[in-house]
Amino acid sequence: MKQWNRWNPSSYGWANEALAYEQQLQQSQPLPASDWTKERKVHMLSQMIDYYATHQQDNGAIIDPHSEAERYYSTPSYALAAAVLVSSGREDLLDSAAKALTHSIELLVSERTPDQHPDFFIIMIMGAYRILKSRLPEQAELWKQSLATIEPEQTYLFTMSKMKNPNRMINWNAIMLSGEVIRQAEGIAPTDTAWIDDYLQQYHLPRFTSLGWYEDGPLNRPNSPFAYDIATRYHLSVMMLSGYQGTTVSELQTQLQHGAISSLLTLSPLGELPPRGRSAQHQWNEAAAAFIFTMQAQQAYADGEVQWAGAFRHAADLTWEAIAKWQMPDGYVQIVRNHYPAEERHGYEVYSNHTTYNLWTAAALAYTLWYEQAEEIMPYPIPVELGSRTLQADGWFETVFSSVPGQQLVIHTALNDPYMIPGVARIQRAGLHANLATSSSGHQNQGFTEFSIGDIFPLSHMPAWHTQDQVWHHLAEGFPTVFPFDRDAGVDPSDGGGSYTIAESATTSDRSHLVIKWQGPLQGIDHVIATYEQSPGHIVITYEVGHDQDSEQSTQQIDHIGAWIPLFQSDGQESSVIETATQESTEVIILTYRGQQLRIVPVTPHSMITFPQEAEQVASRNGLLRGARIEAPGQRISFEIGLP
């Protein structure tokens, strides 16, 4: 039976874009064979696990070296990753993996999981159990007896029996369901899937958008982080591969297929998922994507879709590479993409933990290795490497993607979200360091995110304007809303009267033209029009602000307009050099970071470059930003970004 069916054009939101990419793919040639061999992947995983093996206690628990405690689901994650390495020939890890598994099972069945995260345990436990049971049959019988005592509605936290709230049936519940399917497949739990089908049908399938993306958060007001979209789809994909055959299997398979294509279409040229919401810029995002891309590659290859298979294979390789760049000599990875010491928690979420998110990353990569087959799939270019495109996210994701070959802009659009401010949040180009033109913005409200240094300031590529009361305003100020910001519940993007539209969009093979219009009760104006012109290595951004006809604010005069520029300042290990120079009678900004250079060139006559004190040292997940503002008289301003 054919497993890979491309997409359903009647229900997939980006069907035309996917078809256009397929046509480009058919005219492309395969890329050189990947050096991301299974041996290299096993070596990378081994380094991670060998580091944490030194932090294992006699009872099997993995202790975090910074908080000096067992945290969250670190131990079952270790058990799974170590077990996969055992299956790859690391017999020296057998006893360590078994001890971690025994301890994890004891914690789960006795309802003593660290930090109250039982729902995450079972999918890791069952993965390790499947591998180790044949090597340790006597111990496996004891494991099985303990696992048979689990009562899902009682053992786990995010169930309707405990929460009694449909809005709380979020990613935790889907993760638990995925592990329970494996427990059924192993003959440890009753095989009736009716209760699983009910959860999936009522609370999870309604969360999928037409793009196959999963909207996490309350059903009526999801906060929709991209991290928890990919994490949930990863777990549900493991569930499908583990033999789920319930009543939702067909629809779920379609949604997972659509989501994988959407992730492929939006993957950056550096193999990073888009930043939006909590847990962005955490390495485990790409680890989950590596699994999804690898499984899609295998399904497409088995069905004769060689080029699609090659594109997914290449995407998976890029995500492995994105993580590997941050692996330290000791073996662990920097869990957030900066070089600040782990104990300083810079860019961490309140729940981020060094051991937990290293080992969750290791577990997802381990599941990828466990399911990966031996076919030699030749890589093909991913979408951002072929042609140009503009993609508008649906649902509550509030993001627009604009790309030309090897280069991508990620633009956030919500005017009333202090956590994910509007404007260009990320610019990445192949061959350049991800931080050179910035990979994440500042915040107006840090929400879940903690910083060890820097000020909280809403800094992205966005317009500013100077009103007659001698005050500078900017797009991220937004406007009053009916509901106050709630980091857990999310923000309705229409709350307060704001909106955005894509006014124009046109592409050629290597150029992109995009115009976004924001409207709302902004300070002193009614709308902002932003134009983004791209070609490889070159970006021109133009902002225009104004009043709508018969507006109450039409008497407000705008005497100057500005453009905020986020400049990368430090990653905690290396600082950039930010300087200005005169180029053909125009003052320009030159940023040099890790041997690469970025240029910002004002285009509008009579422009001047300022460095406002309030944005001198701005915290971002990747480190520190410094804000520059280009200012010019009038209501329209343009500038160029030169990427070498």
Side-chain angles (χ1 to χ4, degrees):
M1 179 180 175
K2 189 170 183 177
Q3 294 182 327
W4 205 85
N5 298 305
R6 290 191 182 90
W7 61 89
N8 184 338
S10 66
S11 61
Y12 180 51
W14 286 346
N16 291 336
E17 289 84 352
L19 178 60
Y21 167 64
E22 182 177 66
Q23 292 169 345
Q24 294 166 337
L25 193 58
Q26 290 170 348
Q27 297 170 12
S28 67
Q29 298 297 315
L31 301 171
S34 171
D35 60 356
W36 273 102
T37 61
K38 184 168 185 177
E39 290 72 24
R40 185 180 177 189
K41 296 172 185 175
V42 168
H43 177 69
M44 177 177 165
L45 185 62
S46 289
Q47 288 182 301
M48 297 177 75
I49 293 307
D50 286 344
Y51 172 79
Y52 285 105
T54 65
H55 296 281
Q56 187 173 37
Q57 303 296 291
D58 290 342
N59 66 352
I62 305 298
I63 301 300
D64 180 76
H66 304 295
S67 61
E68 299 181 347
E70 184 179 8
R71 302 307 305 273
Y72 298 92
Y73 35 85
S74 301
T75 303
S77 297
Y78 176 91
L80 170 60
V84 169
L85 288 174
V86 169
S87 72
S88 299
R90 288 289 308 274
E91 292 294 332
D92 60 303
L93 288 172
L94 178 59
D95 180 61
S96 177
K99 287 199 302 182
L101 178 57
T102 298
H103 181 67
S104 299
I105 293 172
E106 289 174 353
L107 290 175
L108 179 61
V109 300
S110 64
E111 300 183 21
R112 293 183 295 114
T113 58
D115 303 301
Q116 295 185 311
H117 272 61
D119 306 54
F120 291 76
F121 267 57
I122 191 64
I123 194 164
M124 314 285 194
I125 284 172
M126 293 311 305
Y129 171 84
R130 284 185 297 184
I131 296 170
L132 299 178
K133 65 178 183 177
S134 61
R135 287 175 165 81
L136 300 168
E138 292 184 5
Q139 181 65 58
E141 186 57 36
L142 298 177
W143 291 333
K144 185 175 182 178
Q145 290 173 14
S146 292
L147 290 168
T149 66
I150 290 173
E151 295 289 344
E153 292 290 322
Q154 174 59 36
T155 301
Y156 304 115
L157 187 60
F158 277 66
T159 64
M160 282 299 289
S161 296
K162 288 187 175 180
M163 291 290 176
K164 304 186 189 307
N165 183 353
N167 283 330
R168 300 301 286 160
M169 298 302 101
I170 55 173
N171 69 87
W172 289 48
N173 180 265
I175 293 168
M176 173 272 286
L177 297 178
S178 302
E180 280 298 303
V181 166
I182 309 177
R183 200 165 69 99
Q184 290 182 340
E186 289 296 322
I188 300 175
T191 57
D192 178 22
T193 64
W195 70 277
I196 295 176
D197 298 338
D198 186 58
Y199 271 117
L200 291 170
Q201 188 68 55
Q202 287 198 56
Y203 308 120
H204 297 297
L205 284 175
R207 294 179 178 275
F208 283 95
T209 74
S210 74
L211 301 177
W213 280 341
Y214 181 92
E215 296 185 296
D216 197 52
L219 284 164
N220 62 335
R221 196 160 53 137
N223 46 45
S224 300
F226 277 122
Y228 292 93
D229 155 59
I230 198 74
T232 308
R233 288 191 284 118
Y234 152 70
H235 284 101
L236 293 174
S237 296
V238 173
M239 182 184 80
M240 297 291 280
L241 288 168
S242 300
Y244 172 68
Q245 289 296 325
T247 57
T248 70
V249 65
S250 178
E251 186 177 355
L252 189 55
Q253 179 66 30
T254 297
Q255 296 290 5
L256 293 175
Q257 183 81 64
H258 289 173
I261 295 171
S262 296
S263 291
L264 184 69
L265 285 166
T266 55
L267 190 69
S268 90
L270 303 181
E272 294 187 16
L273 292 180
R276 188 193 185 280
R278 61 194 180 96
S279 294
Q281 293 287 301
H282 284 53
Q283 308 290 356
W284 58 261
N285 289 221
E286 283 66 35
F291 178 89
I292 288 171
F293 290 145
T294 300
M295 298 309 108
Q296 293 294 329
Q298 292 178 177
Q299 291 178 8
Y301 187 80
D303 288 331
E305 298 283 356
V306 175
Q307 291 168 315
W308 275 103
F312 280 119
R313 166 65 198 274
H314 182 39
D317 292 342
L318 288 171
T319 55
W320 278 89
E321 183 67 30
I323 300 168
K325 290 175 183 176
W326 295 91
Q327 188 167 29
M328 299 295 102
D330 286 347
Y332 65 85
V333 299
Q334 295 289 95
I335 68 168
V336 180
R337 292 189 168 92
N338 65 60
H339 284 289
Y340 288 88
E343 58 269 25
E344 294 185 11
R345 298 181 57 81
H346 185 84
Y348 284 34
E349 311 297 45
V350 294
Y351 48 75
S352 299
N353 182 272
H354 190 260
T355 297
T356 306
Y357 277 165
N358 258 282
L359 289 171
W360 196 103
T361 299
L365 296 176
Y367 255 133
T368 305
L369 285 170
W370 172 247
Y371 280 107
E372 190 171 4
Q373 297 167 9
E375 298 103 353
E376 287 297 324
I377 301 174
M378 289 300 295
Y380 272 79
I382 63 172
V384 77
E385 296 169 336
L386 286 180
S388 306
R389 57 189 47 82
T390 296
L391 300 166
Q392 183 178 15
D394 64 355
W396 292 56
F397 286 97
E398 292 293 305
T399 305
V400 174
F401 305 86
S402 176
S403 65
V404 294
Q407 184 173 297
Q408 183 194 61
L409 305 184
V410 178
I411 305 165
H412 292 144
T413 58
L415 288 171
N416 59 356
D417 189 338
Y419 191 47
M420 299 311 302
I421 61 171
V424 177
R426 183 173 79 185
I427 301 173
Q428 288 190 353
R429 187 182 179 197
L432 300 184
H433 195 286
N435 289 337
L436 183 67
T438 68
S439 282
S440 63
S441 61
H443 303 279
Q444 183 136 291
N445 182 312
Q446 66 193 88
F448 287 93
T449 313
E450 300 177 335
F451 300 106
S452 62
I453 190 173
D455 299 321
I456 303 304
F457 182 81
L459 182 59
S460 67
H461 281 284
M462 65 179 176
W465 55 94
H466 191 258
T467 51
Q468 61 189 18
D469 56 2
Q470 305 303 305
V471 175
W472 277 102
H473 301 279
H474 52 73
L475 195 64
E477 280 182 329
F479 36 75
T481 57
V482 174
F483 297 99
F485 172 65
D486 184 329
R487 69 183 189 182
D488 292 299
V491 176
D492 183 340
S494 66
D495 184 8
S499 65
Y500 87 97
T501 56
I502 293 181
E504 298 176 25
S505 177
T507 59
T508 64
S509 61
D510 63 351
R511 291 184 180 273
S512 172
H513 169 82
L514 169 64
V515 180
I516 294 179
K517 183 177 182 179
W518 279 278
Q519 290 181 284
L522 299 163
Q523 291 289 334
I525 63 172
D526 296 297
H527 66 253
V528 168
I529 298 174
T531 302
Y532 307 95
E533 304 274 0
Q534 273 197 94
S535 60
H538 187 239
I539 302 166
V540 178
I541 299 179
T542 301
Y543 301 131
E544 184 175 349
V545 301
H547 302 110
D548 296 335
Q549 191 172 11
D550 300 324
S551 166
E552 294 180 2
Q553 303 192 97
S554 60
T555 58
Q556 180 77 281
Q557 295 299 310
I558 308 300
D559 53 23
H560 279 72
I561 187 168
W564 275 107
I565 312 293
L567 300 169
F568 193 74
Q569 192 170 15
S570 176
D571 58 19
Q573 181 184 76
E574 185 162 330
S575 297
S576 65
V577 175
I578 300 171
E579 53 194 344
T580 59
T582 301
Q583 175 181 304
E584 298 179 357
S585 302
T586 300
E587 188 180 28
V588 304
I589 301 171
I590 302 172
L591 182 149
T592 305
Y593 170 70
R594 293 190 177 268
Q596 297 176 335
Q597 200 170 85
L598 170 78
R599 285 178 178 262
I600 308 291
V601 182
V603 174
T604 302
H606 311 297
S607 296
M608 63 179 293
I609 296 169
T610 65
F611 291 91
Q613 186 176 0
E614 65 264 31
E616 186 175 3
Q617 200 175 60
V618 177
S620 85
R621 281 196 177 92
N622 302 118
L624 288 176
L625 306 175
R626 185 180 184 187
R629 189 169 64 214
I630 304 174
E631 302 171 5
Q635 297 182 3
R636 192 173 189 273
I637 193 168
S638 296
F639 64 95
E640 298 178 351
I641 302 174
L643 299 167

